[in-house]
Amino acid sequence: MDIKDLYANLLVQNIISITKFWLDKYNNQNTIIKQTLQLIKLVLNQNYFQYNDKHYKPTQGIAMGSPLSCTLSEIYLQYFEELVVKHWMETHEITYYRRYTDDIIVIFDQNKINEDLITSYMNNTQKHLECKPTAEKSKNINYLDLSIHRDSNNLQIRIYRKPMRWILPYTLHPTTH
């Protein structure tokens, strides 16, 4: 599963309220909570990027190249997992769940739940985020740099290399790379 355009679709107000949720849960010092939220608001309001020597301010989401964006998206997605995934793991409807940034792999019990229900629920829980499933084909699926093959009760894992479609012109790298 892939979360489509993650950074562009994270709503600033949601990030702030979710960060407050985690800070309230694990920290009882109001001064630290207040200062942390003020700093995050300050950074997110300075959400600019440069393209072709021009500066832009996105109308929504967080900047992809900002050092804080990765941390804020992680805070947000862990909350999302707390709401959605935790229950499925506890009831064993989902037997395996791992996420790397916006790429997710899910192994589930087909007798208890199905891909459409998982996708629908995830997309309806956080309407501004869209999870796009990638179904297994011929008992194979590629996840990150792995090719995973399901055979009876075993998984065979190999290195997966995405096909190269083009080479950037005028680079210093040999074309064999």
Side-chain angles (χ1 to χ4, degrees), residues 110 136 138-140 148-156:
Q110 292 177 330
E136 178 183 291
S138 303
K139 297 187 178 186
N140 286 302
I148 304 167
H149 176 77
R150 183 170 52 94
D151 184 26
S152 302
N153 292 328
N154 296 316
L155 296 177
Q156 296 175 359

Side-chain angles (χ1 to χ4, degrees), residues 55-103:
H55 294 274
Y56 298 91
K57 184 171 181 169
T59 56
Q60 71 176 36
I62 57 178
M64 196 175 222
S66 169
L68 191 58
S69 294
C70 185
T71 301
L72 293 176
S73 68
E74 188 63 29
I75 288 168
Y76 186 91
L77 290 174
Q78 285 187 20
Y79 178 79
F80 180 71
E81 291 165 348
E82 180 87 7
L83 285 179
V84 177
V85 178
K86 186 178 177 183
H87 172 73
W88 284 333
M89 295 292 290
E90 289 170 348
T91 60
H92 304 288
E93 292 168 285
I94 289 179
T95 56
Y96 185 83
Y97 174 95
R98 291 294 180 269
R99 177 183 50 80
Y100 181 79
T101 310
D102 63 347
D103 295 312

Side-chain angles (χ1 to χ4, degrees), residues 18-73:
I18 288 169
T19 302
K20 183 176 181 346
F21 165 83
W22 289 120
L23 288 170
D24 286 340
K25 185 172 181 175
Y26 293 108
N27 188 330
N28 60 2
Q29 297 179 16
N30 287 332
T31 304
I32 291 175
I33 293 171
K34 186 177 178 182
Q35 289 175 346
T36 302
L37 294 175
Q38 286 175 335
L39 286 170
I40 289 172
K41 286 177 191 177
L42 177 68
V43 169
L44 292 177
N45 286 327
Q46 302 296 318
N47 191 21
Y48 296 97
F49 67 93
Q50 183 179 348
Y51 178 73
N52 282 342
D53 295 326
K54 293 183 181 177
H55 294 274
Y56 298 91
K57 184 171 181 169
T59 56
Q60 71 176 36
I62 57 178
M64 196 175 222
S66 169
L68 191 58
S69 294
C70 185
T71 301
L72 293 176
S73 68

